Amino acid sequence: MQRQACVLPLKELVMPVTYRVGLIGCGRMGATIDDEVKDRPNAHIFLPYSHAAAIVASERTELVAVCDPVPEKAKAIGQRYGAQKAYSDHEAMIDAEKLDMVAVATRPGPHAAIVSYAAERGVRGIYCEKPLCNAVREMDVMLEACRRAGVQFNYGTQRRYMPVYSRVREMVAEGAIGDVQSIVAHCGVSAAQWGLTHAADMVLFLAGDEEVEFAQGTLVAEESDWEGHVLKKDAAISSAYIRFKNGIHANFVASGGWEFEVSGSKGKIRTLSNSLDYQLRQADEHGELKPVAVDPVEIDSGTQRGIEDLARALDGAGDTMGNLELACRSQEMIFAVAESHRLGGARVSLPLTNRQLAIAPDHY
C-alpha cells in the first residue's frame, strides 16, 4: 500500500501592525526641515528628517491626521504628506481619530499638556520633539501621566537612534577602549534648550544611560536674565561638567563640530563630522594611541528609526531606546547646569531639589 505524503498546514503569516499616527505641530521639525537640508552634501545623514516625512517613510506607521493652530498650515501639510484629516485643535484630533501614536512637534511650552492629554485618552505611543519641556515641574507631570497610563515614549533627540552612535556605544561596552573614563561633547557654545538638549542626551547615551550624580556649569547670562527661579531666556551653555554615578566624567566644551569622544584606559573612540563617521584609536605597548580600522556603519535617519523603535515597543518587543525616564534624565541635566549657574557655579545634585526651576517659559 502506497503511503500518502503527510502535509503539515502552514502557519498563518502574521503581518506587522501598521500604527495610526497623528502629528501635532506642522512647523519646522514637524514637517518642513527636510526642505532646509535636502540640498546639503551630507543630507543623507538625516533624511527623512521631519516627523511627518519619517512617519510616511516607515512601513510601520500611517499618518492619518495632522494638527496645527494655523488651519491653513495644517491643511497644506496634510495634503503634502497624504493625511486624511487636518485639525486646528489637538484634543479634537485625539478624541476623533483613535490614534495609536502621536508625534508632538510643537514648541516645548505645551508639551506637558499635550502628552498628558494623549496619555489619558488612550494613545499608546508618543514621539516627542526636544526640548522635552521648559520647567522641571512639567517634566514631573509628563512622567506621572505616562507611567499611570503605561504609555511607550521616545524622545526626539534623533542621534540616539542613528547607527553610528549605537555602534560606538556597543564598542565601548565590548571593551574596545578599556574602562571608560570620560566623555567630551564638542558642541560649541549653544542655547541650553534649543541646542544642548541634543548634547545632553548623547552624553547620557554614551555613558550607558547611567544616573547622574551632580552637574556644574556656566551660562551666558546676566543676573537680570533671572526672575527668581525662572531664567527668562534660553541662555547658551559655555561649559558644563557632569558626573555620573558610575564614575564617568563628561564635559560640554566650547569647541564646535558636533563630535563626541569617549576616552578609556586603553584608547579613544570619536564620532566625526556630525554623525558621518567614527574613529577608534587604541594604546600600543608604549601607551601611544594608534588608529585602528573600524567597520563601516550604515547611514540611516534617526527620526525614522526612533519612530520605528516606538512601533516595535507597541508590538510588545520591550522598552523604547529613548523612553521618558531617560528623556527626563537628560533634560534634568540641562536644568541642573542652569541651577548651578544660578547658584554661582555650585555642584547641583540630581534629582534636583528645586522643582520650580524653568528656562525661557515665555520664549517657547
Side-chain angles (χ1 to χ4, degrees):
M1 182 177 177
Q2 186 177 2
R3 283 187 170 182
Q4 292 183 339
C6 180
V7 180
L8 297 175
L10 293 175
K11 290 183 178 180
E12 184 179 350
L13 294 176
V14 179
M15 299 299 291
V17 175
T18 300
Y19 292 107
R20 293 170 52 83
V21 186
L23 171 67
I24 303 174
C26 295
R28 183 173 181 262
M29 285 308 303
T32 65
I33 192 171
D34 307 74
D35 300 334
E36 293 179 30
V37 305
K38 64 180 180 173
D39 295 325
R40 296 179 186 175
N42 295 328
H44 64 290
I45 298 173
F46 297 105
L47 294 175
Y49 202 167
S50 68
H51 294 212
I55 293 164
V56 170
S58 174
E59 295 180 355
R60 301 303 318 278
T61 50
E62 177 188 7
L63 184 63
V64 298
V66 300
C67 174
D68 195 275
V70 180
E72 296 79 9
K73 183 185 291 186
K75 182 178 180 181
I77 294 303
Q79 291 175 344
R80 172 174 175 172
Y81 289 103
Q84 301 160 15
K85 298 281 185 68
Y87 293 82
S88 58
D89 180 84
H90 70 273
E91 293 184 1
M93 181 182 74
I94 291 170
D95 290 342
E97 296 295 334
K98 295 181 172 59
L99 301 168
D100 300 303
M101 296 166 52
V102 294
V104 182
T106 67
R107 294 296 180 95
H111 281 185
I114 292 171
V115 167
S116 297
Y117 191 88
E120 291 163 0
R121 294 305 192 276
V123 176
R124 298 169 53 212
I126 298 174
Y127 184 85
C128 184
E129 186 55 38
K130 46 66 59 182
L132 185 66
C133 54
N134 285 334
V136 178
R137 62 183 178 274
E138 294 170 353
M139 184 175 69
D140 296 338
V141 167
M142 296 166 72
L143 191 57
E144 181 181 354
C146 288
R147 279 177 173 169
R148 185 170 55 244
V151 171
Q152 293 282 6
F153 186 98
N154 256 342
Y155 194 26
T157 46
Q158 75 273 7
R159 288 176 181 81
R160 171 174 283 264
Y161 314 103
M162 295 171 73
V164 64
Y165 299 102
S166 295
R167 182 58 189 140
V168 168
R169 177 163 150 155
E170 288 170 1
M171 292 177 70
V172 169
E174 292 165 357
I177 59 171
D179 296 328
V180 179
Q181 298 165 335
S182 70
I183 301 167
V184 178
H186 298 268
C187 50
V189 179
S190 183
Q193 290 279 75
W194 193 248
L196 292 197
T197 41
H198 278 298
D201 186 72
M202 185 45 53
V203 163
L204 177 67
F205 182 71
L206 295 176
D209 288 326
E210 178 61 56
E211 293 184 19
V212 178
E213 183 179 351
F214 67 86
Q216 289 178 281
T218 55
L219 305 173
V220 182
E222 306 297 331
E223 287 188 20
S224 59
D225 294 322
W226 289 89
E227 191 171 281
H229 299 280
V230 177
L231 179 59
K232 295 183 292 183
K233 70 175 187 179
D234 189 8
I237 293 176
S238 53
S239 66
Y241 169 72
I242 309 295
R243 168 81 175 198
F244 290 95
K245 287 186 178 179
N246 59 6
I248 294 175
H249 309 273
N251 294 90
F252 299 173
V253 298
S255 63
W258 284 98
E259 298 184 343
F260 297 86
E261 184 173 77
V262 187
S263 294
S265 58
K266 297 180 180 178
K268 297 177 185 287
I269 189 166
R270 180 167 176 157
T271 63
L272 303 173
S273 303
N274 194 14
S275 315
L276 188 61
D277 206 350
Y278 70 112
Q279 175 192 70
L280 171 65
R281 293 184 294 157
Q282 292 177 328
D284 63 15
E285 64 272 20
H286 305 293
E288 295 182 6
L289 295 177
K290 303 292 186 183
V292 177
V294 293
D295 295 330
V297 293
E298 63 180 317
I299 301 294
D300 204 358
S301 161
T303 309
Q304 183 175 340
R305 286 172 69 101
I307 289 168
E308 290 176 344
D309 179 66
L310 183 56
R312 285 190 290 272
L314 293 184
D315 292 341
D319 202 357
T320 56
M321 290 178 64
N323 64 64
L324 185 52
E325 288 192 9
L326 296 178
C328 290
R329 192 172 297 171
S330 66
Q331 177 68 67
E332 194 162 10
M333 289 163 60
I334 297 296
F335 287 138
V337 171
E339 179 73 343
S340 173
H341 180 93
R342 190 180 75 86
L343 298 175
R347 285 186 179 185
V348 173
S349 298
L350 276 74
L352 285 166
T353 56
N354 181 9
R355 310 308 282 182
Q356 301 305 309
L357 187 74
I359 299 177
D362 298 324
H363 183 66
Y364 292 135

